[in-house]
Amino acid sequence: MAIFYKNSISLIFLLLSLNFLSAQYQIDLNAKPDIKKPGYHLIFSDDFTTLDTTVWDRSCPGNDGWNYDSPNFCKAEIFGFVPTNKSNVLPPTPDSILPIQIRRGEERGLCDFSSGEIKTYRVGDPSNQFRNWKIYPNSLVEVRMKVPKCRGIGSAAWLFGPSNENQNEIDFLETFGENTTTYQTNFIYGKSGRVKMSSERVRLTDSTRQTIDISENFLTYATGFDARNRIDFFVNNAPVGSVRQGRNGIFPNFRKRVQPFDLRIGLGNSTLDKTTVKDCDQFPSLLLVDFVRIYIREGERAVQMMLNSTNEMRLRNDYSWNDGAGFAVSYFPKAKYEWDEIEHFKIDHTGHETEDNLQYYWVSVLPGTPLGEYNLSLTVSFQSGYKEILPLKITVWDGK
């Protein structure tokens, strides 16, 4: 499991609930990472020529863990706890590689070790310019990276969607410290404190059937998940396992399980064996991230309008407070949102856009607007050139 901050009670329950499998998969070690993906549209890409802190949040003390003033802040014996700090997300290298380190020490000198992480949601620090964003079902997520090899250190890339009723997680990479000839994938789900997990231990081989050490190679790890019945895992475009509804009878109500997710990439204590970072003898150890790419499946919509099932509204033309209504659409970084020019309406942003992963709007009827039906549209243009057009039907009436 790729969450580096868990208590011992949750750990015991998880260990009792695991459903472990093991498999070997052959991949093309030299497969070139083609940005074009058959059957998908590219909706986000970051090659880390710079670190855009409006796109990525960086962990800091108290961010998913204990604050500086907590007595647990430096207790490494608590399962998976290694404090994370913004400074451990280093500037990209000249060849556009983002290093994330785990090292000795910590900013205030309180802890023996500290680590780093980037993610798509914010915890604390409301002064920064980062905006939360999520990954929706029917997406494919790719992260190309090279993991460190050292006893006690675990690297991970995972999708995280926590709530009290649905503690969801899809780990498409989680490493075993110094054993980098295998890694693990996980699907975790269920109510908080009573989660279940299905896992597979993955061993990769090349075209000659030789085992691949993943710490020696940049590999493209990916997961695709839909809203119906399956989660798939890939390395260098080759399938390396899946989770399907009904497999062993353990995934009831699959649609509920695959909600929008946050993406997290980082390293810390290994959570897959009994070692800790104290057992590592190579510091700093670096997780090297080459790129992140996110796709939406053809025929599906990346941007969701949070209005109703028909994307329709009725507005009165009495020009009072009731002459407008609010709604939201899902937000993606680096995408451009443009409304078509409509003579009889005004569409404004509202002031909640740093609070969650939505883009908020308020639409108003302008004076003199005749009664009747109007068709508006919002065009969302992604950096790849792919566009989505969301219709909004408005009926203007007199309230009678």
Side-chain angles (χ1 to χ4, degrees):
M1 64 220 98
I3 305 173
F4 298 127
Y5 310 98
K6 287 185 181 288
N7 60 47
S8 57
I9 296 176
S10 296
L11 172 61
I12 293 171
F13 185 86
L14 280 170
L15 291 176
L16 292 174
S17 306
L18 298 184
N19 175 30
F20 282 108
L21 299 173
S22 180
Q24 179 172 289
Y25 299 94
Q26 186 176 8
I27 67 167
D28 181 355
L29 188 58
N30 299 312
K32 295 182 179 180
D34 192 347
I35 197 168
K36 295 183 179 180
K37 198 73 58 181
Y40 287 90
H41 297 292
L42 181 66
I43 59 173
F44 174 82
S45 179
D46 196 336
D47 293 326
F48 296 108
T49 55
T50 62
L51 177 61
D52 189 341
T53 54
T54 67
V55 173
W56 298 105
D57 195 15
R58 296 165 294 167
S59 290
C60 59
N63 194 339
D64 295 323
W66 289 279
N67 286 303
Y68 276 120
D69 55 359
S70 169
N72 293 325
F73 180 62
C74 290
K75 289 186 177 179
E77 66 269 19
I78 295 176
F79 172 67
F81 182 75
V82 181
T84 54
N85 291 275
K86 289 183 177 181
S87 63
N88 285 327
V89 181
L90 304 176
T93 65
D95 52 349
S96 301
I97 299 297
L98 179 71
I100 304 175
Q101 71 176 354
I102 186 166
R103 62 182 173 90
R104 293 188 183 277
E106 178 275 325
E107 268 69 8
R108 297 194 184 185
L110 300 176
C111 306
D112 293 332
F113 303 95
S114 62
S115 61
E117 176 187 77
I118 59 172
K119 57 179 175 286
T120 65
Y121 73 99
R122 182 178 65 192
V123 180
D125 194 7
S127 63
N128 67 29
Q129 298 300 308
F130 169 78
R131 284 197 57 188
N132 297 331
W133 55 286
K134 288 184 178 290
I135 298 167
Y136 289 81
N138 304 307
S139 295
L140 176 70
V141 183
E142 288 189 336
V143 181
R144 185 169 179 82
M145 56 189 167
K146 183 178 178 182
V147 304
K149 180 177 184 175
C150 200
R151 184 174 175 85
I153 292 180
S155 302
W158 73 105
L159 301 177
F160 190 49
S163 68
N164 288 334
E165 295 299 314
N166 191 14
Q167 188 77 24
N168 259 18
E169 184 174 332
I170 301 172
D171 303 328
F172 53 107
L173 171 78
E174 187 172 11
T175 64
F176 288 85
E178 65 179 347
N179 179 7
T180 49
T181 58
T182 64
Y183 71 93
Q184 188 164 295
T185 61
N186 305 304
F187 176 45
I188 302 171
Y189 71 97
K191 292 185 178 181
S192 179
R194 294 181 58 84
V195 298
K196 297 180 181 180
M197 178 162 71
S198 176
S199 301
E200 181 172 83
R201 189 159 180 166
V202 177
R203 183 182 298 273
L204 302 176
T205 64
D206 61 19
S207 59
T208 65
R209 300 290 184 179
Q210 296 297 308
T211 297
I212 295 172
D213 187 330
I214 64 174
S215 71
E216 297 176 356
N217 302 274
F218 274 95
L219 299 173
T220 305
Y221 303 90
T223 183
F225 65 104
D226 63 30
R228 292 176 290 277
N229 63 1
R230 64 184 296 153
I231 301 166
D232 294 295
F233 302 102
F234 307 88
V235 176
N236 283 15
N237 297 321
V240 292
S242 66
V243 173
R244 302 186 184 187
Q245 179 171 306
R247 185 176 183 178
N248 300 327
I250 62 174
F251 302 120
N253 198 4
F254 193 92
R255 185 181 296 271
K256 177 183 178 182
R257 308 301 177 194
V258 286
Q259 59 195 29
F261 287 98
D262 305 301
L263 172 61
R264 305 176 66 165
I265 304 167
L267 73 174
N269 256 8
S270 172
T271 61
L272 299 179
D273 55 34
K274 296 180 180 179
T275 60
T276 73
V277 295
K278 294 180 180 180
D279 298 310
C280 180
D281 58 2
Q282 300 174 33
F283 290 101
S285 285
L286 299 176
L287 172 64
L288 303 176
V289 184
D290 186 3
F291 64 71
V292 175
R293 294 171 183 168
I294 300 171
Y295 302 81
I296 190 70
R297 184 181 296 144
E298 287 182 353
E300 304 291 346
R301 192 184 294 277
V303 182
Q304 310 295 317
M305 184 175 288
M306 316 298 176
L307 181 57
N308 53 46
S309 60
T310 61
N311 286 0
E312 298 181 11
M313 63 171 61
R314 286 166 59 87
L315 299 178
R316 292 172 56 174
N317 69 342
D318 59 3
Y319 319 124
S320 66
W321 174 251
N322 295 321
D323 67 352
F327 62 97
V329 299
S330 44
Y331 165 76
F332 288 92
K334 302 186 179 182
K336 187 176 182 180
Y337 293 71
E338 296 177 295
W339 287 95
D340 56 359
E341 295 184 8
I342 297 298
E343 179 182 359
H344 300 294
F345 300 93
K346 181 181 180 183
I347 300 179
D348 298 304
H349 288 285
T350 61
H352 305 287
E353 294 187 349
T354 60
E355 297 177 7
D356 55 31
N357 61 297
L358 300 175
Q359 188 106 320
Y360 290 90
Y361 295 99
W362 183 267
V363 56
S364 304
V365 181
L366 296 177
T369 298
L371 304 183
E373 294 183 352
Y374 297 84
N375 294 301
L376 287 69
S377 63
L378 171 64
T379 299
V380 182
S381 303
F382 295 91
Q383 61 188 123
S384 64
Y386 168 64
K387 296 182 179 181
E388 290 187 352
I389 299 176
L390 283 71
L392 174 61
K393 182 178 180 180
I394 299 177
T395 300
V396 178
W397 67 307
D398 58 9
K400 297 179 181 179

